[in-house]
Amino acid sequence: MGEERSLNFIEEIVEEDIAAGKHGGRVLTRFPPEPNGYLHIGHAKSICLNFGLALKYGGKTNLRFDDTNPSKEETEYVDSIKADVKWLGFEWANELYASDYFDQLYDFAVTLIKKGLAYVDDSTAEEIAAQKGTPTEPGTPNIYRSRSVEENLTLFAEMKAGKYPDGAKVLRAKVDLAASNMHLRDPLMYRIKHTHHHRTGDAWCIYPMYDFAHGQSDAIEEITHSICTLEFIPHRDLYNWFIEQLAIFPSKQYEFARLNLNYTVMSKRKLLQLVEEKHVEDWDDPRMPTISGLRRRGYTPASIRDFCERIGVAKRENMIDVSLLEFCIREDLNKTAWRRMAVLDPIKMVITNYPENQTEYLFSENNPEVEGGDGGRELPFSNQLWIEREDFMEEPPKKFFRLGVGLMVRLKSAYIVKCDSFTKDANGQVTEIQCTYVPESKSGSDTSGINVKGTIHWVSVAHAHTAEVRLYDRLFKVEDPSNEDGDFKDYLNPDSLHILPQAYIEPDLANAIPGKGYQFIRKGYFTIDKHSTAEKLVFNRTVTLKDGWVKK
Ligand code: ATP
Ligand code: MG
């Protein structure tokens, strides 16, 4: 962010419109989610684009719930969507619902019937499909197409009044059965669905189709730039046709490439399957590509906005590498995360020349990347420490700058120690190492003159707290699970969650702030999980310090 970049193609369009004085230079965009699932990182791209344009050009953005499909929509989803958009840092001008326009949409439909541009069709879905022709052959009109305006008005009113069962009739636009664009071959406008709606209850039993709701909602709100993803290109002619025939506000649709991210799936339908079949804990499982999952994992709004900015706005679909998303969160957390010490796979170090039962408090900065260190905390040091098992080797190779008998390291923020010996159990497992420390080597006032290459982290045994630490890997084993043979769930990574039931953490981490990032020195960035309690602390690893992922 902050870097100069050239305009994306949508910004170019907006700037041309402003320069031409179109709509008085006004910019009004909308973000139109269907409340049938939780938002994912793909939606974040659409949110950043729509809200970003308005912010950049002094405009506004509406949050409009596209709730025309009654069976799938739920209030839980509405609430989560609002929370996610806010969390990403955006404010909508108006919270709106396509269902608020049901009366007006009905009136629009009546207008088209009166103009001879819509008719009630009694055909089945199969008959309609068959009569539509193929891309190379025109469709064939059926007997209902020539119904009189009066008959259509009566039938449509009866449809609304609940006289007919689901599927008995539809309302279609009378456009062009020979159009090369199949979407213009008399598309459906309304279908009968005796289903309860989350907002309108049982007031309606006919519901408008997407194509007869979306553009009309845009026009009602006087949206200037209606931005959607590429799959809506074939709908654009119909979008314009309805607006022209109804002579309503001329909103215009523009399409950009949706975000595809590797090693995950992004369709809400698939994400719902993962939740319902318990492959993940919930929509906000930290492995999910949902906004709520990323939040729980420890992603920050700034990192997601930065990611959306970096991937840009394209006219052609491509696959974005998840390592770019990880790069963005590392960049952000490097600047904001407090450094802490935690030992994930412990062995004990005993410092034989340090007084037993003595505690020394060593000051350590929160973040050396920040000028002044961003404050700090006092780290308790004593003669027994937990260190990482991998920092000791029985037979260290050359250039192993950590511990083995005879080798020296610096204990971060503390002293230089030298390993003298170690102890093993009956299974040959190293259980303890014995060291001596160099009293004059204290960090910040080191007069020992000893130079060591390695620095390792540690936690005082007597002062350590324990925590469960959850390490995550990619949810899928393959880059594009939706594009593989068989079911996408066959490609789930069985090792996507690794739980360490008892890690040792420095005492200050018992006060970890929810939503804040912590760097466990040398181990990655972590954040406290939403289910963490004072009795049982739980940390999620947001991301490792470096991109260490290798293709399996
Ligand atoms: P899904 O296919 O994942 O269920 P959707 O397109 O049905 O998503 P909507 O709730 O209809 O989801 O989408 C709201 C807005 O977000 C739309 O404008 C849509 O184009 C946009 N959007 C959805 N997925 C992506 C994506 N992967 N990249 C960019 N924009 C997206
Ligand atoms: Mg949709």
Side-chain angles (χ1 to χ4, degrees):
M1 280 218 181
E3 288 158 35
E4 286 285 326
R5 62 156 173 82
S6 51
L7 297 181
N8 66 50
F9 78 97
I10 294 183
E11 289 168 337
E12 280 174 6
I13 292 166
V14 171
E15 293 204 357
E16 277 166 28
D17 288 348
I18 292 171
K22 201 169 170 185
H23 312 306
R26 190 173 59 85
V27 174
L28 180 61
T29 58
R30 86 286 172 269
F31 174 63
E34 189 179 339
N36 62 347
Y38 281 61
L39 296 182
H40 52 60
I41 182 80
H43 293 114
K45 176 170 175 179
S46 175
I47 291 168
C48 289
L49 179 57
N50 279 296
F51 284 88
L53 278 174
L55 282 170
K56 182 163 180 179
Y57 297 108
K60 287 182 175 159
T61 306
N62 286 345
L63 174 61
R64 183 203 312 144
F65 290 98
D66 189 351
D67 60 350
T68 51
N69 196 4
S71 46
K72 286 193 282 177
E73 286 131 10
E74 286 180 36
T75 313
E76 176 198 345
Y77 297 136
V78 168
D79 294 340
S80 75
I81 289 168
K82 284 161 60 178
D84 286 350
V85 175
K86 271 191 204 154
W87 179 76
L88 280 172
F90 298 108
E91 271 175 55
W92 51 88
N94 302 291
E95 176 186 334
L96 302 163
Y97 294 80
S99 57
D100 291 342
Y101 310 135
F102 280 170
D103 282 312
Q104 198 157 357
L105 294 173
Y106 182 84
D107 291 343
F108 284 156
V110 169
T111 301
L112 291 180
I113 293 173
K114 286 182 178 161
K115 288 179 83 174
L117 293 174
Y119 61 100
V120 172
D121 193 328
D122 301 2
S123 310
T124 63
E126 295 72 36
E127 285 164 348
I128 289 176
Q131 291 158 5
K132 268 205 172 173
T134 67
T136 50
E137 275 173 63
T140 41
N142 59 29
I143 50 166
Y144 309 111
R145 198 172 198 260
S146 47
R147 271 179 167 149
S148 69
V149 168
E150 286 64 38
E151 192 183 1
N152 281 319
L153 286 173
T154 306
L155 290 172
F156 189 49
E158 289 174 352
M159 279 168 66
K160 180 187 184 221
K163 190 166 172 191
Y164 306 108
D166 290 6
K169 292 182 183 348
V170 292
L171 184 72
R172 296 176 72 179
K174 195 190 275 189
V175 189
D176 180 3
L177 283 174
S180 57
N181 181 342
M182 299 292 283
H183 289 266
L184 293 178
R185 294 190 184 179
D186 290 10
L188 303 198
M189 293 167 58
Y190 272 90
R191 74 258 199 240
I192 301 171
K193 227 176 183 181
H194 292 266
T195 308
H196 191 82
H197 187 279
H198 77 125
R199 282 175 70 86
T200 57
D202 298 312
W204 293 85
C205 63
I206 56 170
Y207 291 97
M209 303 298 291
Y210 170 87
D211 285 316
F212 194 67
H214 201 89
Q216 287 54 50
S217 303
D218 285 344
I220 291 166
E221 294 171 21
E222 304 200 340
I223 300 295
T224 58
H225 300 83
S226 175
I227 299 158
C228 60
T229 40
L230 293 181
E231 67 271 22
F232 290 98
I233 289 177
H235 297 251
R236 195 202 306 142
D237 288 343
L238 183 58
Y239 181 103
N240 292 335
W241 187 87
F242 279 129
I243 282 181
E244 273 160 36
Q245 301 308 323
L246 291 165
I248 50 183
F249 183 85
S251 297
K252 284 265 177 286
Q253 173 183 307
Y254 303 95
E255 309 87 7
F256 71 102
R258 64 193 297 119
L259 165 65
N260 300 306
L261 197 63
N262 61 7
Y263 298 102
T264 192
V265 293
M266 216 111 80
S267 112
K268 282 181 282 192
R269 191 176 52 78
K270 291 188 176 131
L271 295 175
L272 178 64
Q273 278 182 54
L274 294 177
V275 173
E276 286 186 334
E277 297 172 22
K278 305 229 180 309
H279 297 289
V280 294
E281 195 186 299
D282 206 340
W283 284 96
D284 69 352
D285 185 297
R287 293 164 292 180
M288 291 281 267
T290 49
I291 307 289
S292 49
L294 291 166
R295 174 167 62 230
R296 189 168 161 200
R297 175 90 171 242
Y299 275 76
T300 58
S303 69
I304 294 174
R305 292 194 306 261
D306 181 32
F307 171 72
C308 292
E309 178 73 21
R310 283 174 193 270
I311 56 181
V313 182
K315 285 192 206 181
R316 203 169 301 168
E317 297 246 349
N318 62 349
M319 177 75 87
I320 301 290
D321 200 315
V322 65
S323 62
L324 180 63
L325 182 61
E326 294 169 351
F327 170 84
C328 292
I329 186 63
R330 280 192 195 100
E331 284 266 300
D332 190 33
L333 289 177
N334 183 42
K335 287 180 268 165
T336 57
W338 284 349
R339 274 55 173 170
R340 291 293 181 265
M341 295 210 255
V343 175
L344 303 188
D345 180 14
I347 52 171
K348 193 182 276 185
M349 170 191 284
V350 177
I351 303 173
T352 51
N353 62 339
Y354 193 88
E356 245 179 273
N357 303 322
Q358 176 175 313
T359 302
E360 190 176 345
Y361 287 88
L362 305 166
F363 181 79
S364 192
E365 288 182 335
N366 281 331
N367 186 352
E369 295 290 318
V370 176
E371 202 159 299
D374 203 14
R377 80 287 184 200
E378 299 285 345
L379 267 168
F381 182 84
S382 66
N383 74 324
Q384 292 200 13
L385 309 177
W386 296 116
I387 65 161
E388 215 67 63
R389 180 170 292 278
E390 64 183 16
D391 285 337
F392 171 81
M393 281 184 90
E394 269 186 79
E395 288 170 45
K398 269 190 185 161
K399 299 202 174 167
F400 184 71
F401 298 123
R402 290 173 274 167
L403 288 171
V405 172
L407 298 184
M408 296 180 116
V409 287
R410 171 168 293 284
L411 298 171
K412 169 85 185 148
S413 300
Y415 298 93
I416 292 173
V417 290
K418 178 170 170 236
C419 177
D420 303 313
S421 55
F422 61 91
T423 316
K424 282 201 221 183
D425 66 12
N427 305 319
Q429 267 263 80
V430 175
T431 50
E432 186 188 293
I433 66 171
Q434 294 90 32
C435 295
T436 40
Y437 87 114
V438 182
E440 333 47 273
S441 66
K442 188 168 169 176
S443 287
S445 56
D446 183 358
T447 55
S448 70
I450 303 171
N451 260 326
V452 291
K453 285 221 164 91
T455 300
I456 66 170
H457 60 278
W458 52 272
V459 177
S460 165
V461 170
H463 305 88
H465 288 236
T466 58
E468 178 177 305
V469 171
R470 298 179 185 169
L471 308 178
Y472 300 100
D473 199 348
R474 305 192 166 173
L475 190 50
F476 288 91
K477 292 180 287 189
V478 297
E479 280 208 58
D480 192 359
S482 308
N483 240 337
E484 298 279 346
D485 293 338
D487 191 288
F488 74 99
K489 290 182 269 55
D490 297 343
Y491 299 91
L492 279 162
N493 174 6
D495 304 316
S496 58
L497 170 60
H498 184 58
I499 296 182
L500 304 174
Q502 208 183 53
Y504 291 109
I505 59 175
E506 63 165 270
D508 186 79
L509 277 173
N511 309 315
I513 302 161
K516 178 154 182 62
Y518 294 88
Q519 185 192 91
F520 290 5
I521 291 167
R522 299 170 68 224
K523 288 287 148 194
Y525 292 103
F526 293 76
T527 197
I528 198 121
D529 187 68
K530 70 166 190 184
H531 294 315
S532 183
T533 61
E535 291 71 44
K536 189 191 169 196
L537 292 167
V538 180
F539 284 89
N540 294 319
R541 180 157 71 190
T542 311
V543 69
T544 53
L545 291 180
K546 284 191 206 113
D547 187 358
W549 202 76
V550 277
K551 284 192 188 188
K552 282 167 202 152

